[in-house]
Amino acid sequence: MTTSSIKQLIASCVFVLISAVGFSQSARQAVQASMFHSDLTLQAQMQKNFSAIYRANVEGTPYYDEQFNSANISPLNKVYFIRYNAALDDMEVIQSSDTLIMNKNNKNYIIKQNKGGITYKILEYADSKKDKLGYYVQLTNGTNVALYRKDRKKFVEVKKAAYGGNLGATSAKFKKQKSEFFIELKASGNVTKLPKKKKAVIKAFP
């Protein structure tokens, strides 16, 4: 092989390597971009407004943990600081200097929070009266059946006194709801509520 041929071969290899790296970075950026909603500026401002309103006028908190905690989000395999809003069923993520909301329409994301070893998955509950997609805490990860817990907080509006004054009046607040349990069959991405009767529970686990 001549010197010129070797140089051409090396040049070709370098070009292929650079192209592969560039494609990998572009693919990673595309996946990361799909993690959030399209209008990031508007979303960040809305999130700031929401935080200001609830802190000023409402008792309690929509979060189970006010603090942002580190979590590995796959398939990005990258660590972010996150916190779960149990009132809105949203996952907040710190991105640069803004707090953004994850896009639940992308069900591929799995959030593994380091504190408490909590794993959140985005699953679909067809019988939901509101948003069918939501965040569920994974309790077991069996091949055929997986068990999840759904944590909730409810916003309770201001209750005014019946005859003036303050007697019987209550302020607006976030109230913790009883957790519910769900099952997922064969990693389908869909969940059903865990039955309360013993026979129905046994039947639900094949």
Side-chain angles (χ1 to χ4, degrees), residues 21 23 27 54 56 126 156 176 186:
V21 171
F23 175 79
Y54 99 75
V156 180
K176 183 178 179 180
K186 297 181 179 179

Side-chain angles (χ1 to χ4, degrees), residues 31-60:
V31 172
Q32 185 171 346
S34 70
M35 187 166 74
F36 305 110
H37 297 278
S38 57
D39 194 336
L40 301 185
T41 303
L42 176 60
Q43 184 190 159
Q45 188 59 50
M46 289 176 65
Q47 189 60 26
K48 288 177 182 177
N49 292 342
F50 169 77
S51 297
I53 290 170
Y54 99 75
R55 289 181 188 279
N57 303 301
V58 182
E59 289 184 6

Side-chain angles (χ1 to χ4, degrees), residues 136-206:
Y136 294 79
V137 177
Q138 188 177 67
L139 301 178
T140 66
N141 188 23
T143 305
N144 295 319
V145 181
L147 179 64
Y148 297 88
R149 185 185 75 234
K150 184 68 175 176
D151 297 326
R152 302 178 189 275
K153 283 196 174 185
K154 181 181 179 181
F155 177 70
V156 180
E157 295 183 359
V158 174
K159 180 181 178 182
K160 296 182 179 180
Y163 301 102
N166 295 321
L167 186 63
T170 60
S171 58
K173 60 184 177 181
F174 288 103
K175 185 177 181 181
K176 183 178 179 180
Q177 303 293 292
K178 187 176 181 180
S179 296
E180 295 181 311
F181 296 88
F182 295 79
I183 56 174
E184 175 192 24
L185 300 178
K186 297 181 179 179
S188 63
N190 301 302
V191 291
T192 56
K193 190 175 291 187
L194 186 68
K196 295 182 178 180
K197 294 183 179 180
K198 186 176 180 180
K199 289 183 178 180
V201 171
I202 295 173
K203 187 177 180 181
F205 285 83

Side-chain angles (χ1 to χ4, degrees), residues 120-139:
Y120 292 97
K121 291 186 70 175
I122 303 171
L123 300 167
E124 183 171 349
Y125 178 44
D127 294 332
S128 175
K129 295 180 181 179
K130 296 181 179 179
D131 193 352
K132 296 185 184 302
L133 291 175
Y135 293 95
Y136 294 79
V137 177
Q138 188 177 67
L139 301 178

